[in-house]
Amino acid sequence: MTTQRTSTDLHHFQLFAVKNRISSMHLPHDRPIVAHDEINISDLLPTVEDNQMLRHTWCVLAGRVISRYLPELKWMAKHLPSLAHAHMKEAKRKSEIVSIFGM
């Protein structure tokens, strides 16, 4: 490229924000929920029940992938359980996407 033959360099950006579907307004914003010196390491480590639930979740997710991509096992999809959680109702709603520039 020379000073006589220049090219235009264009950069395009897509800026947007997604509104939270699950509210966190019940959490305090001025202080932590628990003081750092009150946290026990055993409260942070997974329990046996946590590990069992995680293994069950992985099995269901693996079954969904297998039944989706292996035609011979598509029949399996209708027999897989749903993964219930506390925010299922809110998570099912469509995300509201807004432009950063208000356009």
Side-chain angles (χ1 to χ4, degrees):
M1 187 170 318
T2 66
T3 56
Q4 287 81 23
R5 294 188 63 205
T6 62
S7 63
T8 305
D9 191 12
L10 299 176
H11 298 278
H12 297 276
F13 297 92
Q14 182 179 8
L15 299 175
F16 62 92
V18 180
K19 291 185 177 181
N20 287 337
R21 293 178 288 179
I22 300 169
S23 176
S24 62
M25 296 305 293
H26 65 285
L27 299 173
H29 295 287
D30 57 342
R31 65 191 187 321
I33 296 172
V34 178
H36 70 279
D37 56 348
E38 296 176 8
I39 298 175
N40 294 325
I41 191 69
S42 62
D43 294 335
L44 301 175
L45 297 174
T47 63
V48 172
E49 293 81 19
D50 291 333
N51 287 334
Q52 289 172 343
M53 185 173 63
L54 185 60
R55 183 180 173 144
H56 171 73
T57 301
W58 285 343
C59 288
V60 171
L61 293 176
R64 287 182 185 172
V65 171
I66 290 169
S67 65
R68 184 175 190 176
Y69 294 106
L70 296 178
E72 299 82 14
L73 297 175
K74 285 199 183 291
W75 61 268
M76 194 170 70
K78 63 183 174 187
H79 299 288
L80 293 170
S82 63
L83 298 173
H85 55 85
H87 302 287
M88 283 182 71
K89 183 180 175 186
E90 294 89 352
K92 284 184 179 180
R93 291 194 331 242
K94 185 176 179 179
S95 296
E96 186 177 348
I97 300 173
V98 295
S99 172
I100 297 292
F101 300 115
M103 295 180 179

